[in-house]
Amino acid sequence: MCLEVNLELLFLLPIFLPLLTAIFLFFNKNLFNELITNFFTLNSALLSFAISFYVFVMLALDKFQPINYSIFQWTNTPDIKMGFTLDGLSGIMLLLVTGLSFIIQLFSTSYMETDEKHNNYFVYFNFFVFSMLLLVMSSNFLVMFFGWELVGLSSYLLISFWSKKPAAAKAGNKAFILNRVGDFGFLIGLMIILNTFNTFDFYTVLKSASDVPENTITLITLFLLLGAFGKSAQFPLFSWLPDAMEGPTPASALIHAATMVTAGVFMLVRISPILQHSKIAGMVIISFGLITALLAAFSAINQYDIKKVLAYSTISQLGFMFIAIGAGAYVAAIFHLVTHAFFKALLFLGAGAVIHSMHHEQDIRKMGGLRKQMPVTASMMGIGTLAISGIPPLAGFWSKDEILASVFANGGIYYIFWALGLGAAFLTAFYMGRHWLLIFEKDNGFDHSNVYEAPKTMTRPLIILGLFSIFIGFINTPFFHGVEKVLHYSLEGVEITHLPEGITLIVLAVLSIGAGFTGLLIAYLIFSFEIFKRFNFKRINLDYPINLVKDLSFNVLYLNKFGNSIFVSGMKNFTRKVAVIVDGLIIDGSVNFVSTAFGKTSRVASATQTGLVRSYVVYFGLFLLLLIGLFIITPMVPK
Amino acid sequence: MFEVTTDWYLTLSAILFSIGFFGMMIRKNALIMFMCIELMLNAVNLTFISASKHFGQIDGQIAVFFVLVVAAAEVVVGLAIIVSIFRKQSSASVDVLNVSRG
Amino acid sequence: MVDLILFFIPAALIIIGALIVVFAKNPVHNAMGLVMTLVSIAIIYITLNATFVAMVQMLVYAGAVMTLFLFVIMMIGVDKKEQSSESIKGQTFLVSGVFLILISILGYVAISSEFKWDLWFEAVEFAVEGTPQLIAGTLFTAWIFPFEIISILLIVATAAAIALAYDSKRKKNDV
């Protein structure tokens, strides 16, 4: 009993510690130099991680029984409270967020060293960590929504951190506005939930899900799904994430790769007990996940910005997580979330180190051959590339293979989905191989003699993340279902798609390894071995299709332009008409009418206000006599 | 034979008040207007005193004291205002004062 | 009979004085009419057993306040002619309107009550004497709080009057 009480109070500490740090740093903005700021923020992050670790161990000893704690009850009916919960799911996220936050802040201290808004960066960063923890630790939809909105806000602050750059300011706005579309859906979902269940509490909602007709469930999940699409950058609402790369690279690593964009996945897993009742929602999730995974992977093939490749790769991997959720493999989705967080953070931080050493040059065509100058970064990014490509025994293999195998295990139409997923995995390996080769291997003839290895504060986080990227996959293998055990209580009553048994699993694994290897091999052949130059394909003219693919990939199938012409220009025309007709005639007209009417009547009335005392005396007398007359006609005192 | 009852005092008071109010409306000199206000206040005082007698209670007379004090204060401030206005425009007529016109 | 004489003579004087206040052209005459009214009211007070109040009325009103009035009249001059014509637009109409309403109300009251006032309560038999002892006893016990407030009002009014009438410009020129 004593243990539980301690835990209840203790697991709130990692949530509010970053908030306190942010407030503390904000108010001492002018007082602290960089060293003191670093000292405070790193210690707070480390303490927060240590507490999270302790709490997680305590939770593990308690077999991951959920612990609920509510700070205060707002209303009883409907049941709305400021509640937090600690179970396997939020425990994993707690560890992930605080751990990565510490590692990335360590990296940031030297990456942001020379920036004049150094302190602000850490204020926003800590504020983001607080919001994210609020999101994942919430025990009801409302608190989750608070966190959901706050991560949007802090993400906006960090994207447009260098707000003097027009592109950064614009990217921040874009992210904010596209997220708003999703949040709108989320909000409507919340309203339906409150109307249906009369509570926001997860456990009550999820337990009573089977009493509610399927149509309502579908409606709720589809609206919540819109929110998840916005936050996790899925197909219709994905274009903000590549633009968000205008922000500082470490912030991108934490927000736009490891944590915030996975909020949608987290939320869908959280509501999986009601999600499984709706077949339509599952179908929608898996098809949009597939479209996103393929589209983003295809777009990543011909990008030249070092961070944009990673951004599209992130979108693609998020697509994989959505595929897993759509196929009912919730554990696989969370597992992929965790492994992806590590290797994508590694890749982003590696990219950050490269950018730092290249003096803020982000075009990979101007890099090449950096392996000799930056051996540690090169090898760590190599590990990340292998991990994301799904090469065993690195982390990405286990999670991605589990997703693909789970999709396969569903049978029927899911075989096609599996094949498409395998194609996306192949594309992933291909563009990641290209990415690494173009940066570190291929010699583009640029002089890099003044490029040196990043400082130790940058390489050490890389090494830590590299180790994790290698070994984190072993927490949930076909032989040891670690994550599933952790999530046992969170996914109580949920039918999880299990992996196929025996020879099928081995064949599937071999196939996905094959896809990874093929992708890497083709990348090697094209970009390092330069197969097109060595062998003259004179008989078949390949220039046209290659250029077409390059063009389409670089412009993301022209989806942005298409969207711009349809939505932006269309909306502009429409709003202009609305402005003229509705606003100009009806609203302005009525407002003007009211104002002129008031003006005329008040001009008439003001004629009585002569300013002369004697007129006022007369008015006074007039109304006094009227009052007396009224009183005489209707006496107020009974006789 | 007639007996002087409270009604008579009240009628006298009403007439006095009406005359004072009428003066307020027609006179333009601020000083005369103040005198009219004094007339009205005295009409009220008369009512208080007659009511005091009618009900056999002293409180009506106490109220007259308060009215007296308020009237004195009002006269003091009002006359000071008239003096300062007179210094400014060398006239005690209220009709030229219309700065608060709407 | 004495009662009637003691009522009607002061009453007539009161009304005549009031009419002088309203209609006389010379401000000094107006002031004298006001004195007449105030003194007659004091006589009425005495017939109503309010002797102390009558004394105070004589001292404060007919004495102090009227002296103040006369001072100001002397100060701003008696020969300032008031314009006899009505300058405010619609004032005549409104005044006559107020007059008409007043007369109609009075007529209604007189006719409906058959020339008798309905006072709701009967007059008491005993007479209460407004002696200084009785007034002071009530004023300093039951009414002490309003009494203190009214004294503050008086102080404020005095200060305000000094502030208003104090001419800083002229003083500077004198010195």
Side-chain angles (χ1 to χ4, degrees), chain A residues 606-607 609-614 616-618 620-622 624, chain B residues 21 24-28 33 94-98 100-102:
Chain A
S606 81
Q609 301 293 312
T610 53
L612 296 165
V613 182
R614 291 198 297 132
Y616 295 150
V617 173
V618 173
F620 174 67
L622 205 61
L624 186 69
Chain B
F21 196 81
M24 278 289 282
M25 289 193 289
I26 63 167
R27 291 308 293 256
K28 303 180 188 69
M33 289 176 80
V94 290
D95 279 8
V96 274
L97 296 171
N98 61 350
S100 63
R101 187 162 52 92

